Amino acid sequence: MLWTALVLGLAGSFHCIGMCGPIAFVLPVDRSSKFKMFYQTFLYHFGRIISYSIIGVLFGFVGKGLYLAGFQQRLSVLMGVIMILAVIIPVSFLGKFNITKPIYGLIGTVKQKLGLYLNKKSSKALFLIGFFNGFLPCGLVYMALIGAISTGNYYNGALYMAIFGIGTIPLMTTAILLGNFVNLS
């Protein structure tokens, strides 16, 4: 089961480049020394993996509760129906209910913190950029969370998400290294 996390991370990395690549391109890493750049890149990835693991713990608990209650099969059917309805029901209709307003507030806070640390050149800032980046909305992470739920416990949920994060490291590191050659301004 845990191998699926690595495969999802590796295969899904192209999505990561498209969505989080711009963040990786502008990371404030010190490029004057290969050691500093490696260390700071490690801190960024470590921050992401820590946030993924925290989310994995929470969803692992959800999976444990669903398993104990015998709801996993019914939940799978319900999630399929919700995904179909999400495609069919217009966004303007759902917007009338303000269901997502608290979520957008939380996402705004995460983006604000992320922007604050992108302007700082410190090891702490790079760790926190990775940490907050891990909490940004992402369809690929949501898919990995389904795997974390299916593990049925908090430990394996965290491990599943950590391995998923490790799978994204090669291409995300490439994006950081390409930051030398890409000018986004």
Side-chain angles (χ1 to χ4, degrees):
M1 177 71 183
L2 295 176
W3 284 103
T4 63
L6 184 63
V7 170
L8 181 61
L10 288 168
S13 292
F14 292 101
H15 168 81
C16 297
I17 295 296
M19 300 306 290
C20 294
I23 293 170
F25 290 149
V26 298
L27 279 179
V29 293
D30 184 349
R31 299 176 192 285
S32 66
S33 158
K34 290 200 183 291
F35 175 76
K36 285 183 183 178
M37 193 164 101
F38 173 79
Y39 176 68
Q40 291 175 335
T41 301
F42 167 79
L43 288 175
Y44 167 73
H45 291 308
F46 187 62
R48 284 188 317 111
I49 291 169
I50 293 293
S51 61
Y52 293 157
S53 297
I54 290 169
I55 298 168
V57 166
L58 298 174
F59 279 80
F61 272 124
V62 169
K64 175 89 171 161
L66 293 173
Y67 178 75
L68 291 175
F71 287 126
Q72 277 188 318
Q73 285 183 330
R74 287 182 228 139
L75 177 67
S76 296
V77 172
L78 177 65
M79 292 306 292
V81 169
I82 289 172
M83 290 169 76
I84 291 169
L85 290 175
V87 171
I88 296 172
I89 297 174
V91 174
S92 59
F93 175 75
L94 293 175
K96 295 176 185 177
F97 299 104
N98 287 330
I99 296 169
T100 57
K101 193 171 185 177
I103 295 170
Y104 285 126
L106 180 64
I107 293 168
T109 302
V110 169
K111 285 181 179 179
Q112 181 183 22
K113 294 288 187 187
L114 191 60
L116 173 75
Y117 289 110
L118 278 170
N119 293 322
K120 297 184 179 189
K121 292 187 177 197
S122 70
S123 296
K124 176 184 172 184
L126 282 154
F127 172 80
L128 290 172
I129 290 168
F131 183 77
F132 288 119
N133 187 27
F135 288 108
L136 288 175
C138 174
L140 186 63
V141 171
Y142 301 154
M143 287 175 51
L145 287 174
I146 292 169
I149 289 172
S150 70
T151 65
N153 69 56
Y154 72 94
Y155 175 78
N156 285 335
L159 185 59
Y160 189 93
M161 292 304 292
I163 293 171
F164 161 76
I166 289 168
T168 66
I169 288 176
L171 275 180
M172 287 299 290
T173 299
T174 302
I176 294 168
L177 296 174
L178 288 176
N180 283 334
F181 308 106
V182 176
N183 184 0
L184 295 177
S185 53

